[in-house]
């Protein structure tokens, strides 16, 4: 288990990676090769790249992100990134995002109307 100082540093690092990922996909699409490369570089922080993101099963992705010390808020942000990235590029990460939202809703033991709305929205698409 990480001590408090290291946990805080790790949380800041993860938050910065997620913030960067979210800003990289708020550009006109299709993404350029350079922009995809930037996304790949950020995903490396979690031991991922676009291809492994495609290849991983939902449970494998969740396990990896938990091992990378993402908390529930950060997991939700990553799921949001997956949804946004699917809109910008020709990828379909909606099932992975849905699995992440469902995991958060179940494991956090706190009901979130926001996450429940996202789950309902994804199931109705």
């Amino acid at each position: 288990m990480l001590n408090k100082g290291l946990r805080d540093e790790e949380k800041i690092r993860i938050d910065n990676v997620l913030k960067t990922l979210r800003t990289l996909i708020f550009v006109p699409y299709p993404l350029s090769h350079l922009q995809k490369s930037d996304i790949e570089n950020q995903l490396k922080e979690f031991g991922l790249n676009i291809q492994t993101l495609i290849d991983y099963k939902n449970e494998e992705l969740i396990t990896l992100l938990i091992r990378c010390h993402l908390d529930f808020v950060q997991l939700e942000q990553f799921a949001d990134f997956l949804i946004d990235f699917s809109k910008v590029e020709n990828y379909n990460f909606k099932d992975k995002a849905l699995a992440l939202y469902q995991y958060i809703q179940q494991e956090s033991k706190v009901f979130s109307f926001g996450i429940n709305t996202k789950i309902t929205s994804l199931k109705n698409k």
Side-chain angles (χ1 to χ4, degrees), residues 22-54:
R22 296 293 306 271
T23 59
L24 288 172
I25 56 173
F26 286 115
V27 294
Y29 59 91
L31 295 174
S32 71
H33 180 68
L34 180 60
Q35 291 162 325
K36 283 185 184 178
S37 178
D38 288 343
I39 289 171
E40 292 268 358
N41 287 334
Q42 293 302 311
L43 288 173
K44 282 181 190 176
E45 293 290 324
F46 302 126
L48 292 167
N49 59 44
I50 294 171
Q51 189 59 49
T52 57
L53 197 54
I54 293 167

Side-chain angles (χ1 to χ4, degrees), residues 21-124:
L21 278 171
R22 296 293 306 271
T23 59
L24 288 172
I25 56 173
F26 286 115
V27 294
Y29 59 91
L31 295 174
S32 71
H33 180 68
L34 180 60
Q35 291 162 325
K36 283 185 184 178
S37 178
D38 288 343
I39 289 171
E40 292 268 358
N41 287 334
Q42 293 302 311
L43 288 173
K44 282 181 190 176
E45 293 290 324
F46 302 126
L48 292 167
N49 59 44
I50 294 171
Q51 189 59 49
T52 57
L53 197 54
I54 293 167
D55 294 341
Y56 271 26
K57 294 180 177 143
N58 298 346
E59 300 78 24
E60 293 173 319
L61 178 62
I62 291 168
T63 300
L64 173 71
L65 295 174
I66 296 301
R67 275 190 296 195
C68 290
H69 307 285
L70 274 73
D71 61 23
F72 293 123
V73 172
Q74 293 164 335
L75 288 172
E76 182 180 3
Q77 290 172 352
F78 192 83
D80 294 344
F81 157 75
L82 292 176
I83 296 295
D84 292 340
F85 192 43
S86 295
K87 292 176 187 173
V88 173
E89 282 297 305
N90 196 20
Y91 298 111
N92 186 355
F93 295 127
K94 292 176 183 163
D95 287 342
K96 288 178 179 12
L98 178 61
L100 279 166
Y101 292 137
Q102 289 172 327
Y103 173 83
I104 295 164
Q105 194 75 308
Q106 179 180 2
E107 296 298 319
S108 71
K109 308 222 182 341
V110 175
F111 184 81
S112 166
F113 286 107
I115 291 177
N116 193 55
T117 301
K118 291 175 185 181
I119 290 170
T120 303
S121 173
L122 285 173
K123 284 184 175 180
N124 290 333

